[in-house]
């Protein structure tokens, strides 16, 4: 169930009661908003983080204040061993993961001719390889349970391209391709796989923009404003809910119309 007025959200039916959700990169920004939204909808939530332990535990405290079962677990989800241990700990604390949101991501922007191999590898590993690793482990229990939902957080720039982001757009484009393939592979087991392509969202990545740069971005958006992390979180909540039971293999643009401009 979606509530569109973010200032008057109120009580919501716990449509995800009994579900266990893992949100990677959930200590801040979009990941934090997603974790809180899934908790608001009734899921038990694992807040995954790599370096921001303090912020992750702040999200954990908010979830528990909502009455949710929740844990915060540090793990580098671009490393296979870390991912295996992460899922073992979640299973021990909360139960088998039935909702996976592959949100972890970084940027290392530069023009192609100046882009280092290390910056290419680090972005592909964090933004794309992590989704492969987490989806692979999650799929095992989802197949056994014959239910599950995976949502990959891609980006509208994967559809449009963006100067200085060859590594980022390649990773996010890979997420979209991965989404469609996993939807085909896992659909017969009642596992749905979708992606969300956010536009420009008010996060740490955009908060430092100059007024002129901010205005340039806004002028490209049909709705005339940047989105908020909660806009993405509510879309994730929808895709994970029974309301989206017949939706799989799709890419939902949440971009204020940016991709039409």
């Amino acid at each position: 169930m979606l509530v569109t007025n973010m200032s008057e959200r109120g009580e919501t039916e716990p449509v995800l009661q009994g579900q266990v959700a893992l949100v990677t990169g959930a200590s801040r920004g979009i990941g934090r908003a997603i974790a809180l939204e899934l908790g608001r909808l009734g899921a038990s939530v694992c807040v995954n983080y790599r370096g921001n332990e303090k912020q992750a535990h702040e999200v954990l405290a908010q979830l528990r204040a909502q009455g949710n079962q929740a844990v915060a677990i540090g793990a580098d989800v671009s490393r296979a061993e870390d991912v295996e241990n992460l899922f073992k700990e979640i299973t021990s604390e909360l139960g088998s993961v039935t909702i996976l949101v592959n949100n972890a991501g970084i940027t290392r922007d530069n023009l192609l001719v100046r882009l280092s191999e290390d910056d290419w590898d680090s972005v592909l590993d964090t933004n794309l390889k992590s989704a492969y690793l987490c989806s692979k482990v999650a799929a095992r229990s989802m197949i056994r349970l014959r239910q599950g939902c995976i949502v990959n957080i891609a980006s509208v720039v994967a559809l449009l391209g963006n100067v200085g982001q060859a590594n980022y757009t390649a990773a996010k484009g890979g997420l979209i391709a991965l989404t469609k393939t996993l939807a085909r592979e896992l659909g017969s087991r009642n596992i749905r796989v979708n992606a969300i392509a956010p536009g420009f969202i008010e996060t740490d990545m955009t908060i430092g923009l100059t007024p002129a740069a901010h205005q340039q971005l806004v002028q490209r958006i049909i709705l005339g404003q940047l989105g908020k992390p909660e806009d993405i979180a509510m879309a994730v909540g929808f895709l994970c809910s029974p309301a989206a039971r017949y939706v799989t293999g799709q890419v939902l643009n949440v971009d204020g119309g940016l991709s039409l401009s």
Side-chain angles (χ1 to χ4, degrees):
M1 177 184 295
L2 293 182
V3 180
T4 56
N5 187 338
M6 287 185 287
S7 63
E8 299 178 0
R9 301 292 294 281
E11 294 298 320
T12 301
E13 182 183 352
V15 294
L16 299 182
Q17 193 75 44
Q19 304 295 311
V20 176
L22 164 61
V23 184
T24 66
S27 63
R28 57 195 176 98
I30 290 172
R32 172 186 176 279
I34 292 170
L36 293 175
E37 177 68 6
L38 295 181
R40 194 179 70 87
L41 293 174
S44 300
V45 181
C46 173
V47 178
N48 163 252
Y49 65 94
R50 183 167 65 177
N52 296 311
E53 182 176 4
K54 180 176 182 292
Q55 289 175 293
H57 280 85
E58 289 171 357
V59 180
L60 176 64
Q62 286 184 266
L63 284 163
R64 289 179 173 172
Q66 290 180 172
N68 299 109
Q69 283 192 302
V71 294
I73 303 176
D76 181 350
V77 289
S78 69
R79 296 170 54 89
E81 183 178 0
D82 277 24
V83 170
E84 292 282 357
N85 291 334
L86 170 64
F87 275 82
K88 286 177 183 176
E89 190 168 348
I90 296 169
T91 302
S92 174
E93 295 284 342
L94 301 176
S96 296
V97 171
T98 55
I99 294 172
L100 168 64
V101 183
N102 288 309
N103 169 75
I106 61 171
T107 56
R108 297 287 187 273
D109 296 350
N110 217 326
L111 295 174
L112 176 64
V113 294
R114 299 173 184 166
L115 187 63
S116 71
E117 186 175 354
D118 182 63
D119 284 346
W120 175 273
D121 288 344
S122 62
V123 169
L124 268 291
D125 283 352
T126 301
N127 297 21
L128 181 58
K129 183 181 177 183
S130 65
Y132 146 70
L133 291 173
C134 289
S135 297
K136 183 178 181 180
V137 177
R140 296 175 192 159
S141 59
M142 290 179 180
I143 288 170
R144 186 178 68 253
L145 296 170
R146 298 192 69 84
Q147 67 160 314
C149 177
I150 298 173
V151 179
N152 296 319
I153 306 301
S155 172
V156 70
V157 298
L159 308 173
L160 304 176
N162 202 33
V163 174
Q165 290 195 311
N167 49 1
Y168 186 78
T169 56
K172 295 299 188 178
L175 273 180
I176 290 173
L178 179 66
T179 296
K180 293 179 181 293
T181 295
L182 293 186
R184 290 181 180 274
E185 288 189 6
L186 301 174
S188 64
R189 305 302 179 94
N190 195 35
I191 300 167
R192 298 182 299 104
V193 188
N194 293 288
I196 291 175
F200 294 121
I201 306 298
E202 293 178 359
T203 65
D204 291 349
M205 293 184 186
T206 58
I207 199 168
L209 292 173
T210 65
H214 184 277
Q215 185 59 29
Q216 282 186 326
L217 289 184
V218 168
Q219 288 174 349
R220 297 172 57 189
I221 301 169
I222 289 176
L223 292 184
Q225 61 181 317
L226 271 63
K228 297 183 180 297
E230 290 81 6
D231 294 316
I232 308 306
M234 287 189 288
V236 172
F238 163 70
L239 288 175
C240 294
S241 77
R245 60 172 292 277
Y246 203 54
V247 180
T248 196
Q250 302 305 303
V251 181
L252 175 59
N253 293 357
V254 184
D255 64 2
L258 174 65
S259 54
L260 298 178
S261 62

